[in-house]
Amino acid sequence: MNYTDASIAEIDAAIAAAKAAFPIYRRISDAKRAEFLQAISREIMAIGDDLIQTACTESHLPEARITGERGRATGQIQAFADFISNPAWKKEIHDPAQPDRTPLPKPDLFQTQIPLGPVAVFGASNFPLAFSVAGGDTISALAAGCPVIFKAHPAHPKTGNLVGGAISKAVTSCGLPQGVFSLIHGASHAVGSHLVQHPDIQAVGFTGSYRGGKALYDLAVRRPHPIPVYAEMGSVNPVVLLSDKIAENPAALAAGLAGSVCMGVGQFCTNPGLLILQKKDAGFLDLLAAELDKLPLGTFLTPGISDAYAAGVSNLAQHSKKLTSRDLPSPALFVAEAATINRVVLEEVFGPCTVAILVEDKAEMISFIESLEGQLTGTIHGTKAEISEELVDALLQKVGRLLFNGFPTGVEVSGAMVHGGPFPATTDSRSTSVGTQAIYRFVRMVCLQNRL
Amino acid sequence: MNYTDASIAEIDAAIAAAKAAFPIYRRISDAKRAEFLQAISREIMAIGDDLIQTACTESHLPEARITGERGRATGQIQAFADFISNPAWKKEIHDPAQPDRTPLPKPDLFQTQIPLGPVAVFGASNFPLAFSVAGGDTISALAAGCPVIFKAHPAHPKTGNLVGGAISKAVTSCGLPQGVFSLIHGASHAVGSHLVQHPDIQAVGFTGSYRGGKALYDLAVRRPHPIPVYAEMGSVNPVVLLSDKIAENPAALAAGLAGSVCMGVGQFCTNPGLLILQKKDAGFLDLLAAELDKLPLGTFLTPGISDAYAAGVSNLAQHSKKLTSRDLPSPALFVAEAATINRVVLEEVFGPCTVAILVEDKAEMISFIESLEGQLTGTIHGTKAEISEELVDALLQKVGRLLFNGFPTGVEVSGAMVHGGPFPATTDSRSTSVGTQAIYRFVRMVCLQNRL
C-alpha cells in the first residue's frame, strides 16, 4: 500500500467499480446491509492496538481520546445498523386507491426511499476515526444503499488504510461486490476535483474547512448534472452569557468554558469561538482568561493547523484586545465591542481561542446575533427567567443546534441530533452529518402508482 | 393594478416587507397558519365567475378545465391546512437525557423543524390556478411558515392579480403583516434574476421550462450565500409498452395513450413524450397513429408555446419518421430505432406529440432506459408475468414516480405523491412539488439541547 495521489485512471476505476456495484448493492435487503455494517465494526475492532497506535502517531491525539473515538465510530455503525433494521426508516406512505371517487378515481400511491448512487466522501483531519474512513458520512451512505469512494485525509493515511482494509474485508466476507467501497489517496486538489466532477458520482459528503467544502460545492453545482454536496465547514459557535447565570457560579462557568475552548487543542467544529455578553458582565472575562492561562496549548494535528492557529491569533490580536496573559500562540481570549467591531474577528480560527463581544444591552445583543453568519451551534447560558423568547428565536435562525446551559463541544450520535446549520456552517442547512437522520442525505423519495 | 415589470425598488420593497414579516409569521401557531390558508381558499372562491372567465380568456383553456383546476387549488390548500393541523408534520424527535450514562451523561435532545425564510416562487404557464399564485409552491411555503414573493407568469397576469388580491385579503383578515405575501410582475428576466439573487431570499420554487429553471438555479448557487432551488422543469416521461399487455386490448391502450398525449393540448409536465417498445410490437403504433389523427390540435396557452411546438415537431420529423398522417403541426407520433437514434428526439417538445423508440429485445430496452436522463415519471404497461424486477429497478433509477398500467398525466395531490425526479426533471431529486411532502422543501431541522 502507498499513499501517493490516485491517478485519474485509478479514480475512474474506483468509480466504475462503484457504478457496477450499485445495482447489486441497492437491491440487497436492509437486514443484509445492517449485517454488513456490523461486519465493518468487527473488522475495525479486529485491527486492535495497531489502529490505536497508528492513529495516535499520525494525529498527535492522546490514546484515551483515540480509544474513545473508536468507540464512537463503532457505536455510530451500530446505530445505523439498528436504524435500518426498523422498516420505519423508509418513511413509507401508502394512500390507498379510491376507485369510486368522482369525478376521477384515485390511484393507489405508495411512497418509499431509494439510494442516490455512488457517493464521494472526504474525511476530516480532526477525527481520524469518527469523521473519517468509517465515519458518519461513509456509514450513513452505505446504510442508505450507496457505494462509497472515500478520499483519505493526508494527515492520517496509514490510519485510513487500516480502516479501509477493514471495510474491504467486510465487503468480501459479506459477499458484496468490491466496488461497494474504495479508498483513494490524494493530497492534491486534482484528485478531489476529478472525483466530484465525475458524472457517475451522485452526492458528496465532506467535513473540513470552508475553503475546501466551498470549492467542492462550486464544482458540483457547475456540473452538467449538478449533485448535492453536504459539506460541514465549521463555525464560531456563539455562546450567549446572561447576567444572572454568570452570577450563579462564575468560577464553574469559566472553568467549563475554558475546557470547551481547549478540548482537543480546540480542534473541534463546535469549539466555542465567540462569546456574547453585556458590558456590565465584562468582569467575568478576567476569570475566564485566568482559567485559559492555566491550560496547555497542546500539539496540533498537523504543522499546517499549528501555523494557521499562530497566524489566526496574531490577526485577532491586531483587531481586538487580548485578555489572556501568555504570549501567542497559546490558548487565548480576546475582547471587542459590538459597536466598533472589525468583522474579521468573527472568522473561525481553528484552535483553542475565543473572542468575547461586549454589547450594551439585550437589544444590541439581539441585533448582533441577527448580524451573524450561519453556525453549527449556538448556546445560551441563562436562567429560565432571563432567557427571552426573542433571544431563543433570534439565535435559532442562525444555528443547527441550540444548547441551553451547556458546552457545544461533544456531538451526541442520536436520532434527534442536528450537526448542521445555515451556510456557511454547511452547504445544505436541511441536513445533519451526525445522527441517524444523516441517512436521508443519500436517498430520494419515489412514488409507485398502482404497483402490481 | 398594472402588469408592468416590477422595478428594482419595488422588488426590494416586497423583500423587505417579507423579511420584516418573517419573525412574526414564523412564530404564529400552526393552527393560526391553517386558518390563514383556509381564508385564502374562501377568498379565491369569493372571486366567483370572474376568476373562471379571466383564467379561460388568458389561458385559452376550457371552462370545465379551469373550474376543475380551481377545485384542485382549493383542495390543495385544504390538504396543507389539514397537514399542519396535525403536530406530527414537524417530525419531532425527543431523545431523553441519560444523566447516569458513563463515561459521559447524555443530554436531552429535541429535534423539530423551522421555516427557512422568505421564498421566491415562479408560477407555471400551464396551470394558471393550481401551479400559480396560490398553487402548491406558494401554499407549501406559507404552510411551512415562510413569507412568499410570487413572480406572476406573464401569460395570465389578470388571473394572477385576482388570486394575489384574494391572498392579500386573507392576510388582512387574519391580522398578519402584509409582507407575508407579495405579487410582482416581470416579463423580463431581470425581475427574476434580482429576486433570486437578493440576500434575504432563502429558497426558490419554480415550475416551467428547463431553460428558465436552470437559469434560476445557476444564479442561486453562485450567490455568496447559496440557497436551495426547487425547479420542476418537465421531462419526456417514458412509457414502456410490453408485448402481452399490448395484445390484451390494443385499441383501449391506443385510445388511452392518445388521450394522455393530447390532454390539455399536451401541455402537461407529465405528458408521455416517449414510448419504448419492441420491434415485434411496432404494429401497435399504427393503431396509436390512427387515434392521434382523430384528435384536434387545440389552442395553445400562448403564441410562444404554439411556435415552439411547430418548430419542435418539425425538428422531430427531420430525425425520426412521422407515423401520423396529418400535416404538422398536429398531434403527432414519430418513430425511431434505439440502435440508430439521434438523441435530439429525446428532448422534450411541449405539446401533443410523442416519439416511439423501437428496441430489439428486453436487454436493449433496459440499456436504452439506462441511457435516459432524469424524468418526472416513468410508466410500464405490462402483465405481472412480463414485468421483470430488473425493468422496474432500471426505470425507477430515472424517475420520481413510476406508474403501472396507467397514464402519467394527472398528478394526484396526496401524501404519497412524488412530483419530482432526478436532474434535469428537477434541480433537487430529494423533493416533490405536489402533495403534502412539498412542505419539507421550505423547513430545516434544528436540535434543542437541554431546552428549558
Side-chain angles (χ1 to χ4, degrees):
Chain A
M1 289 199 180
N2 65 59
Y3 318 124
T4 57
D5 285 10
S7 66
I8 297 297
E10 286 166 338
I11 303 168
D12 288 348
I15 297 171
K19 186 185 182 185
F22 183 46
I24 299 160
Y25 190 57
R26 70 180 175 236
R27 284 153 77 180
I28 69 171
S29 67
D30 288 339
K32 180 114 173 98
R33 266 207 306 280
E35 276 172 35
F36 168 49
L37 297 185
Q38 284 165 324
I40 292 173
S41 187
R42 281 194 306 274
E43 294 293 350
I44 288 171
M45 290 311 293
I47 308 171
D49 196 51
D50 189 15
L51 179 60
I52 303 295
Q53 296 312 320
T54 304
C56 288
T57 303
E58 287 192 321
S59 69
H60 310 288
L61 293 168
E63 185 168 326
R65 151 72 195 269
I66 290 294
T67 306
E69 197 182 318
R70 183 179 61 178
R72 179 186 176 92
T74 54
Q76 189 163 250
I77 293 172
Q78 187 61 49
F80 279 103
D82 291 344
F83 191 65
I84 62 172
S85 296
N86 181 346
W89 88 265
K90 283 189 175 167
K91 299 181 176 176
E92 291 175 345
I93 304 174
H94 183 207
D95 297 329
Q98 297 174 14
D100 301 326
R101 190 184 63 173
T102 55
L104 288 171
K106 179 172 180 168
D108 183 279
L109 298 169
F110 177 77
Q111 186 180 112
T112 186
Q113 308 284 334
I114 65 171
L116 293 182
V119 172
V121 178
F122 295 75
S125 63
N126 58 340
F127 280 86
L129 297 176
F131 286 80
S132 191
V133 182
D137 283 345
T138 298
I139 298 301
S140 58
L142 290 176
C146 298
V148 168
I149 293 146
F150 193 93
K151 215 280 286 166
H153 199 284
H156 35 72
K158 287 185 197 175
T159 307
N161 273 355
L162 285 173
V163 177
I167 300 179
S168 292
K169 279 186 189 170
V171 167
T172 303
S173 73
C174 292
L176 298 173
Q178 283 300 319
V180 166
F181 179 82
S182 295
L183 180 75
I184 59 176
H185 292 277
S188 151
H189 294 320
V191 171
S193 296
H194 185 74
L195 191 53
V196 165
Q197 292 181 94
H198 194 289
D200 291 324
I201 292 294
Q202 298 301 331
V204 177
F206 170 92
T207 306
S209 68
Y210 174 80
R211 222 167 64 173
K214 182 61 162 54
L216 295 180
Y217 173 84
D218 287 342
L219 290 172
V221 297
R222 284 166 170 79
R223 292 165 45 126
H225 285 61
I227 56 173
V229 173
Y230 305 101
E232 189 273 81
M233 305 181 290
S235 62
V236 294
N237 302 295
V239 176
V240 172
L241 303 166
L242 298 177
S243 307
D244 292 350
K245 193 71 189 178
I246 295 173
E248 267 182 12
N249 192 343
L253 183 58
L257 261 178
S260 186
V261 168
C262 293
M263 186 184 288
V265 200
Q267 299 165 117
F268 285 147
C269 312
T270 51
N271 168 278
L274 187 68
L275 313 176
I276 306 168
L277 66 170
Q278 296 180 71
K279 275 187 191 167
K280 63 177 180 180
D281 298 321
F284 170 73
L285 297 177
D286 296 330
L287 268 180
L288 178 58
E291 286 295 333
L292 287 167
D293 274 332
K294 290 181 199 164
L295 295 172
L297 177 59
T299 305
F300 285 96
L301 293 157
T302 69
I305 293 175
S306 176
D307 292 349
Y309 180 72
V313 286
S314 149
N315 190 40
L316 284 177
Q318 283 180 39
H319 299 288
S320 60
K321 187 180 160 197
K322 181 163 75 80
L323 293 184
T324 39
S325 60
R326 287 180 289 179
D327 287 342
L328 296 173
S330 58
L333 170 64
F334 301 88
V335 66
E337 297 196 5
T340 57
I341 196 173
N342 180 324
R343 296 192 75 84
V344 76
V345 306
L346 300 179
E347 288 167 19
E348 184 180 7
V349 174
F350 199 61
C353 66
T354 192
V355 178
I357 304 296
L358 299 177
V359 295
E360 287 292 342
D361 50 28
K362 286 193 174 178
E364 192 182 33
M365 184 175 272
I366 299 277
S367 64
F368 178 72
I369 289 170
E370 287 172 346
S371 78
L372 290 175
E373 297 272 27
Q375 309 284 337
L376 293 170
T377 74
T379 302
I380 302 173
H381 282 267
T383 64
K384 194 157 184 171
E386 70 188 331
I387 298 178
S388 67
E389 192 204 334
E390 191 188 11
L391 174 63
V392 170
D393 177 70
L395 196 50
L396 200 52
Q397 303 309 309
K398 298 294 177 178
V399 308
R401 178 168 53 117
L402 181 59
L403 298 88
F404 295 87
N405 297 317
F407 302 104
T409 41
V411 182
E412 196 64 39
V413 178
S414 187
M417 176 50 64
V418 177
H419 189 59
F423 187 91
T426 79
T427 50
D428 190 333
S429 73
R430 297 152 299 162
S431 65
T432 176
S433 69
V434 174
T436 41
Q437 300 291 304
I439 197 172
Y440 298 109
R441 299 176 298 168
F442 302 117
V443 293
R444 63 182 176 90
M445 51 186 169
V446 288
C447 175
L448 303 181
Q449 181 167 328
N450 291 332
R451 68 201 158 124
L452 296 181
Chain B
M1 289 199 179
N2 65 61
Y3 317 126
T4 56
D5 285 12
S7 66
I8 297 297
E10 285 165 338
I11 303 168
D12 287 349
I15 297 171
K19 186 183 182 186
F22 183 47
I24 298 159
Y25 190 57
R26 71 181 176 235
R27 284 153 78 181
I28 69 171
S29 67
D30 288 339
K32 179 112 173 102
R33 267 208 304 281
E35 276 171 36
F36 169 49
L37 297 184
Q38 285 166 323
I40 292 173
S41 186
R42 280 194 306 274
E43 294 292 350
I44 288 171
M45 290 310 293
I47 308 171
D49 195 51
D50 189 16
L51 179 60
I52 303 296
Q53 296 312 321
T54 303
C56 288
T57 303
E58 287 190 321
S59 69
H60 310 289
L61 292 168
E63 185 168 327
R65 153 71 196 272
I66 289 294
T67 305
E69 199 184 316
R70 183 180 62 179
R72 180 186 176 91
T74 54
Q76 189 164 251
I77 293 171
Q78 187 60 47
F80 279 103
D82 290 345
F83 192 65
I84 62 172
S85 295
N86 181 345
W89 87 265
K90 282 189 176 167
K91 299 181 177 175
E92 291 175 345
I93 304 174
H94 183 207
D95 297 330
Q98 296 174 16
D100 301 327
R101 191 184 63 173
T102 54
L104 288 171
K106 179 172 180 167
D108 182 279
L109 298 169
F110 176 78
Q111 185 181 111
T112 187
Q113 308 285 334
I114 64 171
L116 293 181
V119 173
V121 178
F122 295 75
S125 63
N126 58 341
F127 281 85
L129 297 176
F131 286 79
S132 193
V133 181
D137 283 346
T138 298
I139 298 301
S140 58
L142 290 177
C146 298
V148 168
I149 293 146
F150 193 93
K151 214 283 283 168
H153 199 286
H156 35 73
K158 286 184 199 176
T159 308
N161 273 357
L162 284 174
V163 177
I167 301 179
S168 292
K169 279 186 189 170
V171 167
T172 303
S173 73
C174 292
L176 297 172
Q178 282 300 318
V180 166
F181 179 82
S182 296
L183 179 76
I184 60 175
H185 292 277
S188 152
H189 294 321
V191 171
S193 297
H194 185 73
L195 192 53
V196 165
Q197 291 180 95
H198 194 288
D200 291 324
I201 292 294
Q202 298 301 331
V204 177
F206 170 91
T207 306
S209 68
Y210 174 79
R211 221 167 66 174
K214 183 61 161 54
L216 295 180
Y217 174 84
D218 287 342
L219 290 172
V221 297
R222 284 166 171 79
R223 291 165 45 127
H225 284 62
I227 55 173
V229 173
Y230 305 101
E232 189 272 82
M233 305 180 292
S235 62
V236 295
N237 303 294
V239 176
V240 172
L241 302 166
L242 298 177
S243 307
D244 293 349
K245 193 71 188 179
I246 294 173
E248 268 182 10
N249 192 344
L253 183 56
L257 261 178
S260 187
V261 168
C262 293
M263 187 184 287
V265 199
Q267 300 164 117
F268 283 146
C269 312
T270 53
N271 169 278
L274 187 69
L275 312 177
I276 306 169
L277 68 169
Q278 295 181 72
K279 275 187 193 168
K280 63 177 181 179
D281 298 320
F284 170 74
L285 298 177
D286 296 330
L287 268 180
L288 178 59
E291 286 293 333
L292 286 167
D293 274 332
K294 290 181 200 164
L295 295 172
L297 177 59
T299 305
F300 284 95
L301 293 156
T302 68
I305 293 175
S306 176
D307 293 348
Y309 180 71
V313 286
S314 150
N315 190 39
L316 285 176
Q318 283 179 38
H319 299 288
S320 61
K321 187 179 158 198
K322 181 164 75 80
L323 294 183
T324 38
S325 60
R326 287 181 287 180
D327 287 341
L328 296 174
S330 58
L333 170 63
F334 301 88
V335 66
E337 297 196 6
T340 58
I341 197 173
N342 180 323
R343 296 192 75 84
V344 76
V345 306
L346 301 179
E347 288 167 20
E348 183 180 9
V349 175
F350 198 62
C353 66
T354 191
V355 178
I357 304 296
L358 299 177
V359 295
E360 287 293 341
D361 51 28
K362 285 193 174 179
E364 193 182 34
M365 185 175 271
I366 299 278
S367 64
F368 178 72
I369 289 168
E370 287 173 346
S371 78
L372 291 175
E373 298 270 28
Q375 308 285 336
L376 292 171
T377 73
T379 302
I380 302 174
H381 282 269
T383 64
K384 192 156 185 171
E386 69 188 331
I387 299 179
S388 67
E389 192 204 334
E390 192 187 9
L391 174 63
V392 170
D393 178 70
L395 196 50
L396 201 51
Q397 303 310 309
K398 299 293 177 178
V399 307
R401 177 167 56 117
L402 181 59
L403 296 89
F404 296 87
N405 297 316
F407 301 103
T409 39
V411 182
E412 196 65 39
V413 178
S414 188
M417 176 50 64
V418 177
H419 189 60
F423 187 92
T426 78
T427 49
D428 190 333
S429 74
R430 298 152 297 163
S431 65
T432 177
S433 69
V434 175
T436 41
Q437 300 292 304
I439 198 171
Y440 298 108
R441 300 176 297 168
F442 302 117
V443 294
R444 64 182 177 89
M445 50 187 168
V446 289
C447 175
L448 303 181
Q449 181 167 328
N450 291 332
R451 68 200 156 124
L452 295 183

